[in-house]
Amino acid sequence: MMMVFGLFVFSLSTTAYQELQRQSDWRYPPQSRVGARPSRQFLGPGDDTITLTGTLLPEFTGGQRHLDELRRMAGEGKAWPLIEGTGRNYGLFVIENLSERKSRFFRDGAASQIDFDLTLQRIDDDDHQRLAVLDAATLRLVRGLFA
């Protein structure tokens, strides 16, 4: 397992990513002053964004159904814990964006290569209203994906 997002597992045999990019911001809004540079005051953390970029080869690894599951999770509008295979917990994240590019097609129109970018946005850990709740239907769906 490379990483888990809720119950969605990123691994070499399912949805492997080749790059993880993280951007963390901190808020220092300017306050204009006469005859001097603006002063800045630290207001706390800003956005924390993780982008996973990868290539799927459906003949050998995960395919469209895995990306469809991520889209389903995004449509719920819920936050999920993001935990690296090393055990590092990044916190609670929501799916902000998922894009895919298909190439190298078979006769039936199915792609033999799917490139994807998944953008995750961190939310405050105390925002419990957005925390995803696992129900029996979700557990059955996830089990079916990785069976």
Side-chain angles (χ1 to χ4, degrees):
M1 174 186 80
M2 299 168 70
M3 186 173 287
V4 64
F5 179 59
L7 290 178
F8 188 89
V9 178
F10 292 91
S11 70
L12 295 178
S13 62
T14 59
T15 311
Y17 54 88
Q18 281 75 43
E19 181 178 279
L20 183 152
Q21 179 181 350
R22 184 176 189 184
Q23 180 175 331
S24 301
D25 296 327
W26 292 267
R27 296 178 296 148
Y28 289 91
Q31 178 64 46
S32 296
R33 300 185 298 178
V34 176
R37 288 188 179 92
S39 64
R40 296 191 176 264
Q41 178 180 358
F42 179 65
L43 295 182
D47 288 337
D48 193 2
T49 306
I50 292 180
T51 302
L52 302 175
T53 302
T55 299
L56 304 179
L57 304 171
E59 292 179 291
F60 307 106
T61 63
Q64 187 64 50
R65 66 186 176 124
H66 295 99
L67 296 178
D68 291 343
E69 172 59 14
L70 288 168
R71 279 197 171 84
R72 186 196 65 75
M73 291 172 69
E76 290 180 358
K78 300 293 184 184
W80 299 90
L82 183 66
I83 303 170
E84 204 169 54
T86 62
R88 179 178 183 186
N89 184 351
Y90 285 93
L92 294 176
F93 282 78
V94 295
I95 298 175
E96 188 173 79
N97 183 297
L98 174 61
S99 64
E100 64 184 65
R101 295 163 307 283
K102 296 181 178 183
S103 60
R104 300 185 183 149
F105 297 93
F106 295 111
R107 283 187 210 187
D108 65 355
S112 67
Q113 180 174 329
I114 305 171
D115 298 308
F116 70 92
D117 298 303
L118 176 67
T119 304
L120 305 172
Q121 187 68 46
R122 185 169 181 179
I123 66 162
D124 287 336
D125 292 338
D126 61 351
D127 191 358
H128 297 293
Q129 292 180 6
R130 304 219 30 212
L131 184 60
V133 177
L134 301 177
D135 59 14
T138 302
L139 289 171
R140 281 193 301 278
L141 181 64
V142 170
R143 285 185 189 126
L145 271 176
F146 299 103

